[in-house]
Amino acid sequence: MVGTDSRKSDVAIGATLLAFCAFAAWRTAYVHSAPATSVAGSAFVPWLVIALISALASILIVRAVLSMRSGRTGETVSLPDRGTFVRMGLFAVLMVAYAGAFMSVGYIPSTLVAFVAGLVLFGERRIWVLILLPCVATTAVYYAFTTVLAVWLP
């Protein structure tokens, strides 16, 4: 199994997340707010996520740099095996398909299917988890957006 120093990987991951946030901020700047009765505009959630990820990525980088300066030795992080990489790739394809189906199929059916498929992909086999968790989480998110934030979901 191949490994790397946890501090170096933390800096690399944090820098990658900050680059992603810069890209997301650039694209979110082009989101136009439509007149609506919503408490939050259409760009509210993306900006919130960008801010949170940026803050956490910065903390990750600072923590790793401080650990390097202290002279302590870092842990060795093992990279996942081939099967895990394949499942991660399939999950990325699933998320792209979910994004494509979201508007045409609708939030509830596309989210339920993607949620269950993701659970199965990573080894969940208990029927009650495959039914209960996606239903509860999907319903909670749906009502949080439509009722609390007054944001329309397809």
Side-chain angles (χ1 to χ4, degrees), residues 22-112:
F23 174 78
W26 169 59
R27 298 307 301 162
T28 302
Y30 290 106
V31 173
H32 298 290
S33 294
T37 59
S38 172
V39 174
S42 54
F44 172 74
V45 172
W47 283 117
L48 179 65
V49 171
I50 289 167
L52 290 174
I53 292 174
S54 296
L56 293 173
S58 298
I59 291 169
L60 185 66
I61 291 170
V62 168
R63 187 184 70 139
V65 169
L66 290 176
S67 178
M68 284 182 203
R69 287 188 178 172
S70 71
R72 295 184 311 224
T73 58
E75 299 175 22
T76 299
V77 177
S78 299
L79 296 176
D81 61 354
R82 179 182 160 102
T84 303
F85 274 125
V86 169
R87 284 192 302 279
M88 289 167 62
L90 290 172
F91 187 74
V93 169
L94 174 67
M95 291 295 97
V96 170
Y98 169 64
F102 186 83
M103 290 301 287
S104 59
V105 176
Y107 169 76
I108 293 176
S110 62
T111 301
L112 287 172

Side-chain angles (χ1 to χ4, degrees), residues 8-22 57-58 60-61:
K8 289 180 183 177
S9 67
D10 285 351
V11 170
I13 291 168
T16 303
L17 286 170
L18 288 176
F20 167 75
C21 287
S58 298
L60 185 66
I61 291 170

